[in-house]
Amino acid sequence: MQNTIRTTIRIRKDLLNISRQYALNRGASLQDTINAALAAGFQRISDLESRKQAMAKIDQFRESLRGKKINLQEILQESKKDLK
């Protein structure tokens, strides 16, 4: 069993009613339903943060290539040589 802590938070009434209905339909406790919703929300936030960091790295790479002369044919030839 995971560690739990007793807390008092304010939840919008409409969200609480939806959570109750969902818990009832699912056959789970309201506490488990709210915990699952919070965990899913935080997972989504961390995924978005990871994507944001990845996009920032791609943007930095693109900026570093700006102004450089790049010969695509030459790069392809070098890649073919490496594959052999």
Side-chain angles (χ1 to χ4, degrees):
M1 184 171 179
Q2 294 179 350
N3 291 336
T4 61
I5 187 168
R6 186 179 184 117
T7 184
T8 303
I9 59 172
R10 294 184 182 270
I11 300 174
R12 285 187 0 214
K13 185 166 177 46
D14 60 331
L15 293 177
L16 184 60
N17 289 340
I18 292 169
S19 298
R20 282 187 181 134
Q21 187 65 41
Y22 181 74
L24 185 64
N25 291 342
R26 198 170 143 219
S29 71
L30 179 60
Q31 179 180 343
D32 289 341
T33 301
I34 291 173
N35 284 339
L38 287 171
F42 284 123
Q43 178 63 40
R44 184 164 185 250
I45 289 169
S46 67
D47 287 348
L48 290 174
E49 183 61 28
S50 298
R51 288 180 186 157
K52 182 180 174 183
Q53 291 174 357
M55 292 305 293
K57 287 181 181 180
I58 291 170
D59 289 342
Q60 287 174 351
F61 177 72
R62 286 181 178 159
E63 283 295 320
S64 71
L65 294 178
R66 184 172 288 187
K68 293 183 180 179
K69 292 184 180 180
I70 298 173
N71 186 342
L72 186 59
Q73 292 301 324
E74 195 174 295
I75 293 173
L76 289 173
Q77 290 299 325
E78 290 294 323
S79 294
K80 287 180 184 178
K81 289 178 185 175
D82 289 342
L83 290 175
K84 292 180 182 178

